[in-house]
Amino acid sequence: MLNRVLGATGPQVSALGLGCMGMSALYGPADEKESLATLHAALDAGITLLDTGDFYGMGHNELLVREALRHRRRDDVVLSVKFGALRRPDGTFLGYDGRPAAVHTSLAYSLQRLGTDHIDVYRIARTDPQVPIEETVGAIAEAVTAGHVRHIGLSEADPDTIRRAAAVAPVADLQIEYSVLDRGIEREILPLCRELGIAVTAYGVLARGLISDSWPRGRTFAPGDVRGKTPRYTGADADHNLGLVDALRAVARSRGATVAQAAIAWALAQGSDIVPLVGARRRDRLHEALGALDLTLGPEDLAAVEAAVPPGAARGDRYPADQMPYLALRSA
């Protein structure tokens, strides 16, 4: 397994991380037995970075990760945990809570569910517009001093928030959507992170499964699958975006790779400070993603990807309307 470092102050992690959200929430039903098998396969393959959140399945995802780690050495795994999302029992989002008291409370519950005495990277899922980021990050910094958290992360933070947070305490990484279809961070956020020594853990690198060989046109979604409420993945926007995937697939085939492998390899090629998170829920998807580590895209390949999927070519918002105000970027 190739390794990368999360920023100037963060831990060493595998070059690919496993995003665990889909095993518990937001993409429709998942097979728990297969999810655990996928987690074990990822760890056996050398993936050390596991990303979860306390609101993924209202705690279910953390318990799933705990079970997967039951017979593993804790120090062999880097746990990245998001907190702060407020939800009703039916899953409806109510906003975000970044108050210091909420930080410490959420952390206490996550430590218990995960069965660990520390979290490696802790971050609020979205900036709470009612609470200065200095207060939220300051509370995480207190947890670092106490030994309950090792490193501070950010998620979907805009440039001003990143600068203010980094002025309070060292920030290891920013978790934000970044893919061949979503390149908005290249304008301002990525250069700023590099200036401040902050890595990027890129989620959505496969555009929630759109960049694959298994997404049919006119797709229908299971109840509870948030993609069915997201413009980018429905209607005419989805048809347009699938055309971009077709163009990328042609580039991938010229290299003997799948379109998903090409998309992951493209993200890896954007810099050693970028760690893609793949949201595999099944072992076959995981093994396909791991194959991207054997694919090196040279200048001609990257130019071909650029021609197939120009920056800003994707259509449709990348989140449902109620989540758009909380995002660092509104467009690809």
Side-chain angles (χ1 to χ4, degrees):
M1 174 59 65
L2 302 174
N3 292 302
R4 294 187 167 185
V5 178
L6 293 186
T9 61
Q12 178 175 279
V13 298
S14 51
L16 283 183
L18 183 64
C20 303
M21 181 190 75
M23 298 176 179
S24 299
L26 299 181
Y27 291 164
D31 182 319
E32 186 163 315
K33 183 178 178 181
E34 180 61 23
S35 294
L36 281 170
T38 302
L39 279 160
H40 286 301
L43 295 167
D44 290 341
I47 287 180
T48 60
L49 177 61
L50 300 181
D51 182 77
T52 183
D54 62 8
F55 53 96
Y56 293 166
M58 277 70 85
H60 175 271
N61 203 242
E62 289 180 320
L63 294 172
L64 188 71
V65 170
R66 175 180 181 158
E67 179 61 27
L69 298 181
R70 185 176 297 278
H71 301 296
R72 305 277 178 165
R73 276 189 1 114
R74 174 65 183 86
D75 289 344
D76 290 341
V77 179
V78 175
L79 290 178
S80 168
V81 180
K82 291 183 289 297
F83 70 92
L86 305 176
R87 304 182 73 176
R88 299 184 192 275
D90 65 2
T92 304
F93 278 91
L94 299 171
Y96 296 90
D97 191 346
R99 295 172 302 145
V103 174
H104 294 299
T105 301
S106 297
L107 175 60
Y109 280 87
S110 283
L111 291 171
Q112 180 67 25
R113 282 190 293 264
L114 288 164
T116 185
D117 63 355
H118 72 278
I119 289 170
D120 297 286
V121 188
Y122 201 51
R123 70 187 86 240
I124 190 166
R126 301 288 186 268
T127 304
D128 181 349
Q130 305 302 318
V131 178
I133 192 63
E134 290 86 351
E135 295 184 16
T136 303
V137 169
I140 303 175
E142 290 175 4
V144 172
T145 300
H148 301 309
V149 171
R150 296 280 171 85
H151 304 279
I152 299 169
L154 296 171
S155 178
E156 283 288 343
D158 63 26
D160 179 62
T161 299
I162 295 169
R163 284 194 182 280
R164 289 165 51 202
V168 173
V171 174
D173 72 320
L174 168 70
Q175 190 173 118
I176 195 164
E177 189 160 0
Y178 185 47
S179 74
V180 68
L181 292 183
D182 257 295
R183 298 177 58 179
I185 70 168
E186 294 175 352
R187 292 190 290 271
E188 187 174 0
I189 290 176
L190 184 55
L192 175 61
C193 285
R194 287 173 169 162
E195 173 191 331
L196 298 176
I198 297 172
V200 168
T201 45
Y203 75 86
V205 69
L206 298 179
R208 295 167 178 78
L210 184 77
I211 303 176
S212 71
D213 293 320
S214 59
W215 189 297
R217 279 178 165 73
R219 177 174 180 171
T220 59
F221 297 91
D225 191 328
V226 71
R227 293 171 295 186
K229 300 179 180 178
T230 305
R232 178 160 297 182
Y233 306 109
T234 56
D237 288 338
D239 288 340
H240 169 82
N241 296 330
L242 284 169
L244 299 175
V245 174
D246 288 341
L248 179 61
R249 183 177 292 108
V251 178
R253 285 177 175 166
S254 72
R255 290 297 314 275
T258 68
V259 67
Q261 289 169 341
I264 296 168
W266 177 88
L268 287 165
Q270 301 313 301
S272 61
D273 54 351
I274 294 171
V275 177
L277 297 172
V278 293
R281 302 195 293 176
R282 301 189 337 230
R283 283 168 287 180
D284 59 338
R285 295 282 191 261
L286 172 68
H287 294 321
E288 180 185 10
L290 288 168
L293 296 171
D294 297 322
L295 176 63
T296 300
L297 299 180
E300 290 185 3
D301 300 312
L302 294 172
V305 171
E306 189 93 4
V309 189
R315 292 181 185 171
D317 289 342
R318 58 191 177 96
Y319 272 87
D322 64 334
Q323 289 296 302
M324 291 301 294
Y326 296 100
L327 300 180
L329 295 168
R330 307 291 191 269
S331 64

